[in-house]
């Protein structure tokens, strides 16, 4: 296994905090899933933000706490030990490198598939971890309990969106996640505290650079450490206040295409914290690899389609060749290729 040299702190990208609008910190839509008007509020949030927080969900806190505990045990291991579980190609452990095209961030992560058994044997050589904990975390005990519940919530939200859009087939989005060949993945990101931030005159080191998620929907949960930011339509970045008992939902590129641009995939990023570490857990709900992605006919209503039809595999390959901040959809826009 080849272990890449860890870049020094001064090689990491930084962000100028002067472009962050603190007056908008509390503007993130909050959706109470138990309220009868939540359907219309979710549609509005997807149109205006591409992002929202959900409360009163049914994901048991015990599943959340157990998975966070197992993740913390892993990430607290020595780097030399964690590297035995890498490199992430794409599944496994990764450190500092984000994708294959030169992007780096102050982050380490674990990426696992959700619809197939993951070979945890690569983690079993980490001597500082209890084998039972490794088996629980990576052989889908803690992960499976958590992902099963989060996937259920993702499907519920997608069906609410279909209903809010007055689509006759209520499971038009959710069936893609429920398909046994769904290409969904689960990722845990760990952002260690970065005391060197003071060297950058109050500016922040980038933990994970700005990007959109290519899948249909992303379900995010983090600990009680700030860092997540989203980009508004007016060009302002706003910080998302942390909430460890709630979930944050992102519209993905594929859902933007399927709604013909009515919903926008939100550009987001993560900044480091100088004092506290941040742990986030993200379920990326993706369609089967051969699924054709295109605007739904029922949403066109005489309008022109903004996108060419493509398969999820085609888009995934294209995204894999791009830089993190690239607009991946531009190659599939009809206007850009006419």
């Amino acid at each position: 296994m080849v272990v890449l040299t860890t870049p020094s702190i001064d090689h990491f990208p930084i962000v100028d905090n002067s472009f962050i609008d603190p007056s908008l910190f509390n503007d993130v839509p909050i959706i109470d899933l138990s309220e009868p008007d939540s359907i219309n509020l979710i549609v509005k949030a997807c149109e205006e933000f591409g992002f929202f927080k959900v409360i009163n969900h049914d994901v048991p806190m015990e599943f959340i706490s157990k998975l966070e505990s197992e993740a913390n045990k892993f990430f607290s291991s020595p780097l030399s030990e964690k590297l035995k579980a890498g490199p992430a190609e794409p599944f496994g452990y990764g450190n500092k490198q984000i994708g294959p095209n030169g992007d780096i961030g102050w982050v380490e992560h674990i990426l696992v598939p959700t619809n197939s058994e993951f070979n945890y044997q690569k983690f079993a050589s980490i001597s500082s971890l209890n084998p039972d904990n490794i088996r629980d975390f990576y052989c889908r005990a803690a992960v499976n309990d958590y992902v099963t519940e989060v996937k259920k919530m993702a499907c519920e939200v997608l069906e609410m969106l279909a209903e809010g859009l007055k689509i006759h087939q209520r499971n038009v989005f959710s069936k893609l996640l429920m398909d046994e060949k769904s290409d969904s993945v689960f990722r845990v990101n760990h952002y260690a505290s970065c005391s060197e931030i003071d060297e950058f005159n109050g500016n922040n080191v980038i933990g994970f650079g700005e990007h959109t998620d290519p899948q249909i929907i992303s379900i995010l949960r983090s600990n009680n450490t700030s860092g997540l930011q989203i980009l508004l339509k007016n060009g302002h970045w706003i910080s998302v206040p942390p909430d460890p008992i709630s979930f944050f939902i992102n519209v993905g590129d594929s859902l933007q295409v399927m709604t013909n641009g009515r919903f926008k995939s939100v550009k987001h990023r993560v900044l480091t914290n100088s004092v506290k570490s941040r742990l986030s857990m993200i379920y990326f709900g993706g369609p089967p690899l051969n699924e054709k992605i295109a605007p739904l006919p029922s949403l066109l209503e005489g309008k022109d389609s903004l996108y060419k039809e493509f398969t999820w595999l085609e888009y995934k390959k294209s995204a894999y060749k791009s830089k993190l901040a690239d607009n991946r959809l531009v190659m599939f826009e009809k206007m850009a290729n006419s």
Side-chain angles (χ1 to χ4, degrees), residues 5 17-18 96 108 110 139 145 157 161 236 251 319 321 323 331:
T5 302
N17 289 334
S18 64
K96 304 296 189 292
E108 56 182 340
I110 289 290
C139 200
D145 287 344
V157 168
L161 285 172
H236 285 113
V251 170
K321 296 176 182 178
K323 296 280 289 183
M331 293 179 58

Side-chain angles (χ1 to χ4, degrees), residues 9 194-205 272 274-275:
I9 185 64
C194 183
S195 59
E196 293 91 338
I197 287 176
D198 292 340
E199 298 178 14
F200 298 105
N201 300 316
N203 294 327
N204 277 91
V205 174
T272 58
S274 63
V275 178

Side-chain angles (χ1 to χ4, degrees), residues 60-319:
M61 281 304 300
E62 61 184 278
F63 291 170
I64 297 172
S65 299
K66 180 178 182 181
L67 185 55
E68 181 175 305
S69 175
E70 296 298 329
N72 280 326
K73 288 177 186 177
F74 175 83
F75 288 118
S76 63
S77 302
L79 178 60
S80 59
E81 293 288 289
K82 290 181 289 190
L83 286 172
K84 296 176 182 179
E89 296 178 333
F91 302 118
Y93 173 77
N95 182 274
K96 304 296 189 292
Q97 307 295 324
I98 303 175
N101 301 308
D103 289 301
I104 61 172
W106 190 259
V107 63
E108 56 182 340
H109 76 274
I110 289 290
L111 183 69
V112 295
T114 65
N115 291 327
S116 62
E117 288 296 330
F118 179 61
N119 181 8
Y120 70 89
Q121 292 299 325
K122 64 193 301 186
F123 297 93
S125 62
I126 302 176
S127 59
S128 60
L129 295 182
N130 183 311
D132 291 334
N133 289 337
I134 298 169
R135 187 170 295 108
D136 278 348
F137 187 58
Y138 298 104
C139 200
R140 298 167 58 93
V143 169
N144 189 60
D145 287 344
Y146 178 88
V147 168
T148 297
E149 293 299 321
V150 171
K151 177 181 176 180
K152 187 187 304 180
M153 179 176 62
C155 290
E156 177 188 356
V157 168
L158 289 172
E159 290 179 2
M160 293 170 72
L161 285 172
E163 184 176 337
L165 292 172
K166 297 180 172 52
I167 299 172
H168 177 70
Q169 188 180 2
R170 195 171 188 266
N171 70 339
V172 66
F173 304 126
S174 63
K175 68 179 182 180
L176 303 179
L177 274 58
M178 296 302 295
D179 193 299
E180 63 180 9
K181 295 183 179 180
S182 166
D183 186 42
S184 298
V185 296
F186 178 66
R187 182 180 178 115
V188 183
N189 288 329
H190 176 248
Y191 305 88
S193 59
C194 183
S195 59
E196 293 91 338
I197 287 176
D198 292 340
E199 298 178 14
F200 298 105
N201 300 316
N203 294 327
N204 277 91
V205 174
I206 291 289
F208 209 109
E210 61 182 80
H211 65 286
T212 59
D213 295 337
Q215 290 88 354
I216 296 171
I217 193 171
S218 306
I219 312 293
L220 164 72
R221 182 266 168 191
S222 70
N223 63 0
N224 201 26
T225 302
S226 61
L228 177 64
Q229 296 185 333
I230 62 172
L231 183 65
L232 301 182
K233 291 180 179 179
N234 64 9
H236 285 113
W237 285 96
I238 64 169
S239 291
V240 178
D243 183 346
I245 64 173
S246 301
F247 287 89
F248 296 93
I249 298 184
N250 293 359
V251 170
D253 294 344
S254 296
L255 187 56
Q256 176 173 322
V257 172
M258 295 178 75
T259 61
N260 203 37
R262 180 168 174 177
F263 295 166
K264 299 292 187 183
S265 58
V266 62
K267 184 162 280 192
H268 53 289
R269 67 187 181 190
V270 176
L271 307 186
T272 58
N273 191 291
S274 63
V275 178
K276 299 167 61 179
S277 64
R278 182 174 185 271
L279 186 80
S280 62
M281 306 185 291
I282 314 102
Y283 167 78
F284 298 98
L289 290 175
N290 292 326
E291 182 70 29
K292 294 180 179 179
I293 306 297
L296 298 178
S298 61
L299 297 181
L300 291 178
E301 298 179 347
K303 300 177 183 177
D304 291 332
S305 172
L306 299 179
Y307 303 96
K308 299 188 298 180
E309 183 180 85
F310 54 86
T311 66
W312 168 238
L313 179 60
E314 289 172 333
Y315 191 58
K316 188 176 180 180
K317 287 181 177 180
S318 176

Side-chain angles (χ1 to χ4, degrees), residues 20-40:
I20 302 170
D21 190 340
S23 68
L24 300 173
F25 280 11
N26 295 315
D27 275 17
V28 173
I30 301 174
I31 310 297
D32 185 338
L33 292 180
S34 68
E35 293 294 329
D37 64 343
S38 57
I39 290 178
N40 292 330

